[in-house]
Amino acid sequence: MNHARCPAISVAGLSKSFGEQIVLDRIDLEVPQGSIFALLGPNGAGKTTTVQILSTLLRADSGEISVGGYDPGADPDGVRSVIGVTGQFSAVDELLTGRENLLLMGDLNHLPRSESLGLAEELLRRFDLADAADKVASAYSGGMTRRLDIAMTLVGDPRIIFLDEPTTGLDPRSRRVMWDIIRDLVAGGVTIFLTTQYLDEADQLADRIAVLHQGRLVAEGTADQLKRLVPGGYIRLDFTERADLESVARAFGGAAQVNGDLTLAIPSDGGVRAVREVLDRLDAVGIEPDGLSVHTPDLDDVFLALTGAPDQEIAR
């Protein structure tokens, strides 16, 4: 198999049950190499089970699975040779220093000590931990601990990294630092499979997003594509002349005045075709608005519409 050309992760018909409880029901998904894929879903949706199967911690009942070109069931060691896993709960040993944690990972990966020492120095610099390299990890802040956790994952030079809620509990500044780290990893060719409880995080980072509900994928696409699945979007037109507004309002029967007397909202899914149709109709009536902007529902609206669950239940 040419691993360079195959998707980083490919899943077809993935199913898993525990007794009579169906946890995953014929899941299909594909993650291109060098991309960020976010999996969202309420409690019990099957996210953790999916990650555990893809990372060889559980066996699937059925389905065709490829991770890095390897079948987790037939060749788990092959999968483990190309993946890294950063769980929701830190793997950092707080009794060791940052440097010692990295050297321990080098030992676990059977690296020569000289190579581990050089790699530890490189990772400490890369993750802005050099000044704290010889402090015990128990003295680290939450953001520092999370950066060290991901640095430890990179010791094995994985091509695919599973990140389970990587920014939970971090302050806004530390979250954004973590986002930059994730983007840098992808820019270097790493593939990220992300679960998160923050919808804005998936919106900011993910190339594609899948929503898992009751063991089934109920939607998949880019953030913009998902936002167009639910009603409530509109195209906003701003005017300075009331006569222009009134003429356009007559041309668009479903338009409503919002945010003041000189603004119209035209119901729309926000797609390119819808915007083009609005522009064509404005040309037909010979009026150019002073401003045009597209407003679509956010991922919170999408999540609620698809699962009926409050957003705080995501990705547990």
Side-chain angles (χ1 to χ4, degrees):
M1 179 181 293
N2 189 338
H3 292 179
R5 294 186 178 180
C6 68
I9 300 171
S10 178
V11 173
L14 171 59
S15 297
K16 180 67 179 178
S17 298
F18 294 104
E20 296 183 356
Q21 181 184 5
I22 299 174
V23 180
L24 297 174
D25 189 4
R26 299 185 299 277
I27 299 300
D28 299 326
L29 59 86
E30 187 171 287
V31 182
Q33 294 187 39
S35 67
I36 302 176
F37 184 91
L39 185 64
L40 306 179
N43 291 344
K47 299 178 308 301
T48 299
T49 301
T50 301
V51 171
Q52 288 177 333
I53 290 172
L54 297 179
S55 59
T56 76
L57 298 177
L58 277 178
R59 290 185 67 91
D61 293 337
S62 61
E64 297 181 3
I65 309 169
S66 173
V67 178
Y70 300 98
D71 182 337
D75 190 1
D77 288 338
V79 173
R80 293 166 191 156
S81 71
V82 298
I83 70 169
V85 180
T86 300
Q88 179 180 355
F89 302 103
S90 172
V92 171
D93 188 330
E94 294 190 344
L95 298 179
L96 301 179
T97 66
R99 189 190 312 277
E100 289 169 342
N101 269 284
L102 291 168
L103 292 176
L104 175 61
M105 291 303 297
D107 291 342
L108 293 174
N109 281 277
H110 307 293
L111 299 180
R113 179 47 65 104
S114 59
E115 183 176 342
S116 291
L117 287 167
L119 183 57
E121 289 297 331
E122 176 188 341
L123 290 170
L124 288 166
R125 287 195 301 271
R126 181 177 178 182
F127 286 86
D128 196 23
L129 293 169
D131 291 343
D134 297 312
K135 294 181 180 178
V136 292
S138 60
Y140 284 14
S141 67
M144 293 169 66
T145 300
R146 208 54 172 154
R147 297 203 303 275
L148 177 59
D149 203 14
I150 293 182
M152 290 165 61
T153 300
L154 296 183
V155 170
D157 194 24
R159 303 203 314 261
I160 302 166
I161 297 178
F162 295 94
L163 295 180
D164 185 11
E165 300 191 28
T167 63
T168 296
L170 299 186
D171 61 77
R173 182 184 298 274
S174 295
R175 285 183 67 207
R176 293 189 178 276
V177 169
M178 191 60 60
W179 291 358
D180 288 340
I181 289 172
I182 292 170
R183 292 186 181 107
D184 286 344
L185 290 172
V186 174
V190 174
T191 302
I192 301 292
F193 191 103
L194 170 74
T195 70
T196 177
Q197 63 175 311
Y198 299 117
L199 293 173
D200 64 324
E201 186 161 87
D203 201 352
Q204 286 284 332
L205 294 176
D207 298 296
R208 294 189 68 80
I209 300 168
V211 181
L212 193 61
H213 183 49
Q214 296 181 345
R216 295 186 176 183
L217 283 183
V218 294
E220 181 182 352
T222 66
D224 286 342
Q225 287 170 340
L226 294 183
K227 291 171 187 177
R228 293 180 191 134
L229 294 177
V230 299
Y234 62 93
I235 295 174
R236 169 176 165 160
L237 302 176
D238 296 311
F239 300 88
T240 55
E241 300 294 334
R242 178 169 297 281
D244 289 345
L245 179 142
E246 291 174 349
S247 295
V248 172
R250 286 192 295 270
F252 293 92
Q257 288 183 251
V258 294
N259 298 328
D261 290 340
L262 296 176
T263 300
L264 283 180
I266 301 169
S268 169
D269 65 2
V272 173
R273 179 179 296 179
V275 174
R276 186 179 295 117
E277 290 174 353
V278 168
L279 293 174
D280 289 344
R281 195 175 299 186
L282 288 170
D283 285 342
V285 297
I287 296 175
E288 181 175 327
D290 293 277
L292 182 152
S293 55
V294 178
H295 298 260
T296 57
D298 59 21
L299 283 183
D300 295 71
D301 299 317
V302 175
F303 187 84
L304 288 169
L306 293 174
T307 69
D311 60 342
Q312 64 264 27
E313 292 183 358
I314 295 174
R316 294 296 184 187

